[in-house]
Amino acid sequence: MEKVRIALLGLGNVGKGVWKILQTNKEAIIKRAGYDIEIAKILVRDINKYRNIGVPEELLTTNADDIFNDDSIKIVVEVMGGLEPAKEYILRAIRNKKNVVTANKLLIATNGDQIFSEAEENEVIVNFEASVAGGIPVIHGINESLTANKIEEVVGIINGTTNYILTKMTLEGMDFEDALKEAQEKGYAEADPTSDVESYDAAYKLAILTKLAFETKVDMNNVYREGITKINSIDIQYAKELGYVIKLLAIVKEVDGKLELRVHPTMIPSIHPLANVNDSFNAVFIKGNAVGDLMLYGRGAGELPTGSAVVGDIISVLRSSTDGAKLSTKHYTEMEVRPMAEVTAEYYLRITVKDEPGVLGEIATVLGQNKVSMSSFIQKPKKGEKGYVSIVLFTHNTSEGSINKALEKIKDLEVVNKVENIIRIENLA
Amino acid sequence: MEKVRIALLGLGNVGKGVWKILQTNKEAIIKRAGYDIEIAKILVRDINKYRNIGVPEELLTTNADDIFNDDSIKIVVEVMGGLEPAKEYILRAIRNKKNVVTANKLLIATNGDQIFSEAEENEVIVNFEASVAGGIPVIHGINESLTANKIEEVVGIINGTTNYILTKMTLEGMDFEDALKEAQEKGYAEADPTSDVESYDAAYKLAILTKLAFETKVDMNNVYREGITKINSIDIQYAKELGYVIKLLAIVKEVDGKLELRVHPTMIPSIHPLANVNDSFNAVFIKGNAVGDLMLYGRGAGELPTGSAVVGDIISVLRSSTDGAKLSTKHYTEMEVRPMAEVTAEYYLRITVKDEPGVLGEIATVLGQNKVSMSSFIQKPKKGEKGYVSIVLFTHNTSEGSINKALEKIKDLEVVNKVENIIRIENLA
């Protein structure tokens, strides 16, 4: 069997996963790829860190030239993450006519267009299945399987850390801090959890899905982003009482010719398939004008699931079964992104007010003046501060601009202590 | 843009879906395929049947030679179904060096190996995404995306008709006959529902999934098949009380080097993602040794979803993004199929017995003699026959052989009126 030599850039979790899979499933992979895949070099920062993990030391190098100047290496697998030097390395690989497989969401989201267009010029393949939703074949799905469709909407739970935290809060009644701590102990969340809990991670992935599904450029500044730190277990409880579950959703949809592009905590009906995606699982819901509703569900992270996507991409290169043309930025169309003020949704509002008659009337009046109408209202006892109660309002469909204007006024009402929370509702069918 | 001429064999639901999609999404498809796809000919049995459906009459022909003898036609799309003449036509297309896209589960399940090996000899592509689970890209998923994995298990709800019936029975308490009638009225079930309700349809699809996931030949005689007609709404009710849902599952898994290959109604935990796959939706759950648990969910039938898969396959041919080699029967390994008597499961038993003391003891003794142990027991009031009660037993894991032997004896017990039902339980994690 003919050998093909590849190189890994990085030997962290994903790199180790790739190594393990290529050993464990060697025979099956040879059969499917038509080649015996040999890891010829692995670029690491410090060779000492990687002794005794079962990887032969002679494969390790700290010198990138060992890889880029070696013409026998046909595929460069970037699993180091981060913007630089990953970008420099990937462009160097492309310019040296090497095919690339990458798991780097940040890089593809922010520099994908340059990378794809250089790949096209140099007639090499760049595969990036692992950059979104780990082992779930969502990139392949959109790029290779759903090609008959005009995709209308993609809604995803694409950050495992926040989904784990929200699941713990929902099913076990934990509060955010405890759930985060548990996620950190289990290795699902990093010591600095900002990228996950403030939705940066999901926003990058959403940008990639948008490029693919809508064949358009995406400026990260146009992706609306809201984290989950504001979600209180009481909101989850109230949502549940009304048949909703709170999930961090990444949403892109075309409405009247403009894109909505946003990541935020969202109430969704508890009977929707996405509502039952729990723990660190990911899922991507896709609506196509031919296929209808489709959902892909699985492990969005972890060394083996992400390694599965990376190795699958390596095999795709060897079978040349991914056509670079689909990624061509030449095919992009310009799509306008709708400003958040114009995006419409139903809203959940939780407000602490004075416990006296007429309060609801005052709030409803302000909402009405701003063309926001209420669909339901519940008064909740508020523990703690005497003389105050919590009220929960659900609105009919309204624009973000209108609700924000109304809330500015409501905050200033003498009877209102605090607008505690506002959460969008998506009545996914 | 260069044109490519294709022909349809058949213009039923799926054929119409293909026609509509190629019109509606023309621009996007041209961009992705790199060709303008022109339907040059459509083979039908009776041209008069297809007037006034928006398809130009000059495309219709009743003469297959118009297609096979036309060298300008590069892809033949078989959407007629059935064994013959579909098989003859597909082989003729292959031998005339035309690529093939088919939606024909029966043909691929029973004659796939011959078709793939002739395709390989003739260096043409045969794509068949639409043959299993309609619009859900499960064939692509296994063939193109999960190539890094050793697949350990595939468990699917791959028949929409029976899933619709079971959903109605579960969520609305309907009995089988009424649910079937409603499914027929809605066009989900055929006038003769045998193929669906007796699980022939699911068994063919399972055979195809098995070939792909385990790269082995499958003899249809080795696929154990049981229908859903025996499911009573009372079983669904009892299942629910114990946290289970009854679904018709198609299951293939490797256990100790042998394949288990079976389609039957199954109790699964109500919290498992498959338990929430309702109505006519399909879902396929795949366990790979790298990717872990993966589920693909969507529309398993209907003209547009199935058309989505067919048109996706046409585009794949044009992008040459499917490598025929993966389907090569040369790569098959021999795998033994475990006889059903050796398959193990937990069981639900519903038995009508005399309403007198000591009955449970007699039954438990027979079970014990056959090495079957009970995990729980509930006595249910039985309406109707006086002097009898219903008992429901759950067993621990045991072999099909043992349970059947025990049941033979139990049937003959003087205290037993009738063994009403026996349903396997899969405690999917």
Side-chain angles (χ1 to χ4, degrees):
Chain A
M1 183 58 62
E2 195 182 335
K3 276 200 180 179
V4 64
R5 286 161 60 84
I6 72 171
L8 301 190
L9 309 181
L11 191 55
N13 268 338
V14 181
K16 279 178 203 151
V18 171
W19 173 268
K20 282 183 197 165
I21 292 167
L22 285 174
Q23 312 304 313
T24 313
N25 295 342
K26 194 176 180 64
E27 267 180 69
I29 290 171
I30 287 178
K31 230 165 52 169
R32 294 170 193 160
Y35 291 91
D36 183 359
I37 299 169
E38 183 198 350
I39 296 184
K41 282 288 166 208
I42 304 173
L43 183 69
V44 295
R45 252 186 248 171
D46 175 4
I47 289 181
N48 291 315
K49 247 183 85 182
Y50 299 96
R51 289 187 214 277
N52 307 320
I53 62 159
V55 177
E57 206 175 311
E58 66 271 21
L59 301 187
L60 303 177
T61 177
T62 55
N63 182 0
D65 291 343
D66 287 354
I67 290 166
F68 296 110
N69 295 341
D70 182 343
D71 285 341
S72 76
I73 290 173
K74 299 301 179 196
I75 303 175
V76 169
V77 180
E78 186 272 306
V79 285
M80 58 202 304
L83 214 46
E84 290 292 1
K87 182 182 171 186
E88 177 205 329
Y89 290 158
I90 284 180
L91 290 175
R92 230 177 126 184
I94 291 171
R95 291 166 191 164
N96 285 359
K97 311 289 181 198
K98 295 181 194 306
N99 297 294
V100 172
V101 172
T102 174
N104 195 324
K105 58 185 170 271
L106 171 61
L107 186 58
I108 295 295
T110 56
N111 290 268
D113 298 342
Q114 183 191 352
I115 289 169
F116 299 145
S117 92
E118 292 216 15
E120 207 168 3
E121 275 167 42
N122 286 282
E123 294 179 335
V124 297
I125 294 167
V126 175
N127 282 341
F128 53 101
E129 181 64 75
S131 66
V132 180
I136 306 174
V138 60
I139 308 279
H140 260 95
I142 295 175
N143 251 356
E144 307 279 325
S145 303
L146 300 182
T147 48
N149 289 265
K150 193 164 168 357
I151 291 177
E152 296 164 344
E153 188 175 333
V154 180
V155 178
I157 295 172
I158 49 180
N159 179 275
T161 308
T162 48
N163 202 44
Y164 182 85
I165 292 170
L166 290 173
T167 300
K168 287 285 154 183
M169 292 174 73
T170 303
L171 300 184
E172 296 175 26
M174 289 174 89
D175 67 21
F176 174 79
E177 291 304 331
D178 289 342
L180 171 60
K181 212 175 140 214
E182 193 176 303
Q184 284 169 325
E185 282 162 9
K186 293 208 169 183
Y188 290 144
E190 301 190 39
D192 175 359
T194 310
S195 168
D196 292 318
V197 300
E198 295 299 350
S199 304
Y200 290 96
D201 175 86
Y204 290 125
K205 292 167 178 170
L206 179 62
I208 297 175
L209 291 177
T210 302
K211 275 180 212 273
L212 295 172
F214 293 92
E215 294 162 290
T216 188
K217 271 187 204 300
V218 179
D219 178 345
M220 284 308 300
N221 293 319
N222 285 334
V223 182
Y224 177 80
R225 187 187 47 69
E226 202 174 272
I228 64 161
T229 52
K230 69 169 192 178
I231 301 299
N232 192 299
S233 39
I234 199 80
D235 298 314
I236 289 176
Q237 180 56 38
Y238 293 165
K240 196 175 178 180
E241 287 171 19
L242 282 125
Y244 289 98
V245 170
I246 299 179
K247 292 289 183 189
L248 179 68
L249 295 190
I251 299 171
V252 54
K253 54 180 159 183
E254 189 179 340
V255 182
D256 301 331
K258 289 186 190 174
L259 283 188
E260 290 185 11
L261 209 48
R262 47 200 171 94
V263 184
H264 53 68
T266 316
M267 288 193 185
I268 57 174
S270 57
I271 52 162
H272 191 272
L274 282 173
N276 294 305
V277 174
N278 286 324
D279 298 322
S280 65
F281 275 93
N282 282 17
V284 180
F285 198 84
I286 301 171
K287 209 184 265 295
N289 73 341
V291 77
D293 290 343
L294 188 78
M295 189 175 85
L296 311 179
Y297 163 100
R299 293 260 168 223
E303 66 175 45
L304 291 179
T306 310
S308 166
V310 171
V311 175
D313 271 357
I314 296 170
I315 296 169
S316 282
V317 169
L318 295 172
R319 296 160 74 184
S320 295
S321 69
T322 302
D323 180 349
K326 174 57 172 65
L327 310 175
S328 173
T329 52
K330 287 180 209 155
H331 288 156
Y332 279 5
T333 50
E334 287 279 334
M335 289 196 77
E336 208 177 325
V337 175
R338 185 179 302 283
M340 273 309 277
E342 291 174 18
V343 167
T344 67
E346 295 173 26
Y347 291 84
Y348 157 98
L349 309 174
R350 179 162 58 86
I351 308 175
T352 314
V353 297
K354 283 194 181 153
D355 189 7
E356 56 185 46
V359 170
L360 182 65
E362 284 192 53
I363 291 173
T365 303
V366 176
L367 289 172
Q369 283 161 352
N370 289 280
K371 293 177 189 155
V372 179
S373 73
M374 270 196 290
S375 65
S376 63
F377 157 78
I378 314 163
Q379 179 169 325
K380 295 287 179 182
K382 181 169 161 83
K383 293 160 202 154
E385 289 167 79
K386 223 179 150 188
Y388 288 100
V389 288
S390 217
I391 60 171
V392 168
L393 304 176
F394 284 76
T395 77
H396 284 297
N397 208 48
T398 182
S399 75
E400 185 100 0
S402 301
I403 195 89
N404 282 342
K405 258 190 242 162
L407 284 172
E408 279 311 306
K409 290 268 166 56
I410 287 170
K411 272 179 196 161
D412 291 342
L413 289 178
E414 194 263 333
V415 294
V416 168
N417 185 35
K418 198 179 167 197
V419 175
E420 305 277 356
N421 217 340
I422 162 169
I423 303 174
R424 292 171 197 84
I425 302 168
E426 293 275 329
N427 278 305
L428 301 169
Chain B
M1 182 58 64
E2 196 182 335
K3 277 200 179 179
V4 65
R5 286 160 62 82
I6 73 171
L8 301 190
L9 309 181
L11 190 55
N13 269 337
V14 181
K16 280 178 204 152
V18 170
W19 173 268
K20 283 182 197 166
I21 292 167
L22 286 174
Q23 312 304 314
T24 313
N25 296 342
K26 193 174 179 66
E27 268 180 67
I29 290 171
I30 286 179
K31 232 164 53 169
R32 294 169 193 160
Y35 292 91
D36 182 359
I37 299 169
E38 182 197 351
I39 297 185
K41 282 287 167 208
I42 304 173
L43 183 69
V44 295
R45 253 185 247 170
D46 174 5
I47 290 182
N48 292 315
K49 248 183 85 182
Y50 299 96
R51 290 188 212 275
N52 307 318
I53 62 160
V55 177
E57 208 175 310
E58 66 270 22
L59 302 187
L60 304 177
T61 177
T62 54
N63 182 0
D65 291 343
D66 287 353
I67 291 166
F68 297 110
N69 294 342
D70 182 344
D71 285 341
S72 74
I73 290 173
K74 299 301 178 195
I75 304 175
V76 168
V77 180
E78 186 271 306
V79 286
M80 58 203 303
L83 214 47
E84 289 292 2
K87 182 182 172 188
E88 177 205 327
Y89 288 160
I90 284 180
L91 291 175
R92 231 177 126 186
I94 291 170
R95 291 166 192 165
N96 287 357
K97 311 289 182 196
K98 296 181 194 304
N99 298 294
V100 171
V101 172
T102 175
N104 196 324
K105 58 186 171 272
L106 171 61
L107 185 59
I108 295 295
T110 56
N111 289 269
D113 298 342
Q114 183 191 352
I115 289 169
F116 299 145
S117 94
E118 292 217 14
E120 208 168 2
E121 276 167 41
N122 286 282
E123 295 179 333
V124 296
I125 294 167
V126 175
N127 282 341
F128 53 101
E129 180 64 75
S131 66
V132 181
I136 306 173
V138 60
I139 308 279
H140 260 96
I142 296 175
N143 251 357
E144 307 278 325
S145 303
L146 300 181
T147 48
N149 289 265
K150 194 165 167 355
I151 291 177
E152 296 165 344
E153 188 175 333
V154 180
V155 178
I157 294 173
I158 49 180
N159 179 274
T161 308
T162 47
N163 201 44
Y164 182 86
I165 293 170
L166 290 173
T167 300
K168 288 285 154 182
M169 292 174 73
T170 304
L171 300 184
E172 297 174 25
M174 288 174 89
D175 67 22
F176 174 79
E177 292 303 332
D178 290 341
L180 170 60
K181 212 176 139 212
E182 192 176 303
Q184 284 169 325
E185 282 162 7
K186 292 208 168 183
Y188 291 144
E190 301 189 37
D192 175 0
T194 310
S195 167
D196 292 318
V197 301
E198 295 299 349
S199 304
Y200 290 96
D201 175 87
Y204 291 125
K205 293 167 177 169
L206 179 63
I208 297 175
L209 291 177
T210 303
K211 275 178 211 271
L212 295 173
F214 293 91
E215 294 161 290
T216 188
K217 269 187 205 298
V218 178
D219 178 345
M220 284 308 303
N221 293 319
N222 284 334
V223 182
Y224 177 80
R225 188 186 46 70
E226 202 174 272
I228 65 161
T229 52
K230 70 170 191 178
I231 300 299
N232 192 299
S233 39
I234 199 81
D235 298 314
I236 289 177
Q237 180 56 38
Y238 293 166
K240 195 175 177 180
E241 287 171 19
L242 283 126
Y244 290 97
V245 170
I246 300 180
K247 292 289 184 188
L248 179 68
L249 296 190
I251 300 171
V252 55
K253 53 180 161 183
E254 188 177 342
V255 182
D256 301 331
K258 289 187 190 174
L259 282 188
E260 290 186 11
L261 208 47
R262 47 198 171 94
V263 184
H264 52 69
T266 317
M267 287 194 186
I268 58 174
S270 57
I271 52 162
H272 190 273
L274 282 173
N276 294 305
V277 175
N278 286 324
D279 298 320
S280 66
F281 276 94
N282 282 17
V284 180
F285 198 83
I286 301 170
K287 212 186 264 293
N289 73 342
V291 76
D293 289 342
L294 187 77
M295 188 174 86
L296 311 180
Y297 164 98
R299 293 260 167 222
E303 65 175 44
L304 291 178
T306 310
S308 166
V310 171
V311 174
D313 271 358
I314 296 170
I315 296 170
S316 282
V317 170
L318 295 173
R319 295 159 74 184
S320 295
S321 69
T322 303
D323 180 350
K326 175 57 172 65
L327 309 174
S328 174
T329 52
K330 286 181 209 154
H331 289 155
Y332 278 7
T333 49
E334 287 279 334
M335 289 195 78
E336 208 178 323
V337 175
R338 184 178 303 282
M340 272 309 279
E342 290 174 18
V343 168
T344 67
E346 296 173 25
Y347 290 85
Y348 157 98
L349 308 174
R350 179 161 58 86
I351 308 176
T352 313
V353 298
K354 283 193 183 155
D355 189 9
E356 57 184 48
V359 170
L360 183 65
E362 286 193 51
I363 292 173
T365 304
V366 176
L367 288 172
Q369 284 161 351
N370 288 281
K371 294 179 188 152
V372 178
S373 74
M374 268 196 293
S375 66
S376 62
F377 157 77
I378 313 164
Q379 178 170 325
K380 296 288 178 181
K382 182 168 160 83
K383 294 160 203 155
E385 289 169 79
K386 225 180 148 187
Y388 288 100
V389 289
S390 217
I391 60 172
V392 169
L393 304 176
F394 284 77
T395 77
H396 284 296
N397 207 49
T398 182
S399 74
E400 185 101 0
S402 300
I403 195 89
N404 283 341
K405 259 190 241 164
L407 283 173
E408 278 310 306
K409 290 268 166 55
I410 287 170
K411 273 178 197 161
D412 291 342
L413 289 178
E414 193 262 335
V415 294
V416 168
N417 184 36
K418 196 178 168 198
V419 175
E420 306 277 356
N421 217 341
I422 162 168
I423 303 174
R424 292 169 196 85
I425 301 167
E426 294 276 328
N427 278 306
L428 301 170

